[in-house]
Amino acid sequence: DVLLVGAGGSGGSDNGGGGGAGGLIYRPQLVTSPGGSISYTVGNHGQNSPGPSHNTRRGDNGGDTTFGALTAIGGGGGGSGHPADNLRNGNQGGSGGGSGGETPGSGGAGSQPGRPGQSGTYGFGTNGGSTPTGQGGAGGGGAVGSGNNGNGELGGNGGNGKAYSISGSSVTYAGGGGGGAQNGVTGSRSSGGTGGGGNGGASSSPSVIHGIDGTANRGGGGGGAGNTGPEIGTGAVGGTGIIIVKY
């Protein structure tokens, strides 16, 4: 049996969307050649998304994780929320990044289930949330739960991941990052999805505006940044990917 998870996408800056989780593949009873070798790579996260002085950017996609012919696609970066840019929509990825807030935007598509061959047949990934009326950033997609839309000026929660016991105990992988809140609204951080998704940045004070990183070796998406008005937070990086083989 083999489990692969791509690295999570980074959250966007300036009430940004949460990063999408890395695509997840669980292939039971994978047939291999005795004595042969299998090439592999473990996906790494992209850069975070700083936002000083309204210099905003969309989050980076996470890196792919591969094991032989199987490819778990890295998660999509979350969109940026500042109205002056054109980077609002979340990126496509294994699971899609959430859209940035403030003005309407669309979440990225989750592409893992559509991959050719066994990478898609045994793959999981969902779409990032959208911001149909602007305001808070949307959550990134998780392995089995799509990202939630922005909730007024609060960020949307990340989509949930999927649990497996291939490591010997039940562990949940590939949760989406939470979206960032807008302009000083009172309220808590949005929640990252179960499976290592990072919480989104709040906007009630400068100390809580930065997104929280996705958990390493879970492939969770990074949280999107909040925005107090004068200060813009930094979108967080996604968690690195993982490969687990049981034989």
Side-chain angles (χ1 to χ4, degrees):
D1 300 352
V2 61
L3 172 75
L4 287 75
V5 185
S10 302
S13 66
D14 193 0
N15 60 285
L24 184 151
I25 300 171
Y26 178 66
R27 176 60 167 100
Q29 300 178 346
L30 179 69
V31 177
T32 60
S33 299
S37 61
I38 299 176
S39 60
Y40 67 92
T41 57
V42 177
N44 200 3
H45 56 70
Q47 296 180 348
N48 60 11
S49 303
S53 303
H54 288 74
N55 179 20
T56 61
R57 66 188 296 268
R58 180 188 286 143
D60 289 344
N61 282 22
D64 298 347
T65 294
T66 66
F67 185 80
L70 300 174
T71 300
I73 302 297
S80 170
H82 191 261
D85 66 44
N86 60 354
L87 302 175
R88 190 158 299 104
N89 295 338
N91 280 347
Q92 176 176 299
S95 284
S99 62
E102 199 153 342
T103 56
S106 300
S111 62
Q112 188 64 52
R115 295 288 299 175
Q118 297 186 49
S119 295
T121 302
Y122 295 93
F124 297 88
T126 65
N127 299 337
S130 298
T131 49
T133 60
Q135 311 305 326
V144 296
S146 298
N148 291 275
N149 293 349
N151 180 17
E153 292 187 334
L154 298 175
N157 294 334
N160 287 334
K162 190 168 174 61
Y164 291 94
S165 299
I166 188 172
S167 64
S169 60
S170 181
V171 178
T172 305
Y173 303 89
Q182 183 192 25
N183 290 354
V185 63
T186 300
S188 60
R189 295 176 180 272
S190 64
S191 297
T194 57
N199 294 343
S203 60
S204 53
S205 74
S207 64
V208 293
I209 60 176
H210 304 300
I212 303 298
D213 292 347
T215 303
N217 306 320
R218 300 281 184 88
N227 175 354
T228 67
E231 296 91 6
I232 296 174
T234 295
V237 298
T240 50
I242 192 169
I243 302 171
I244 301 176
V245 178
K246 181 181 179 181
Y247 57 94

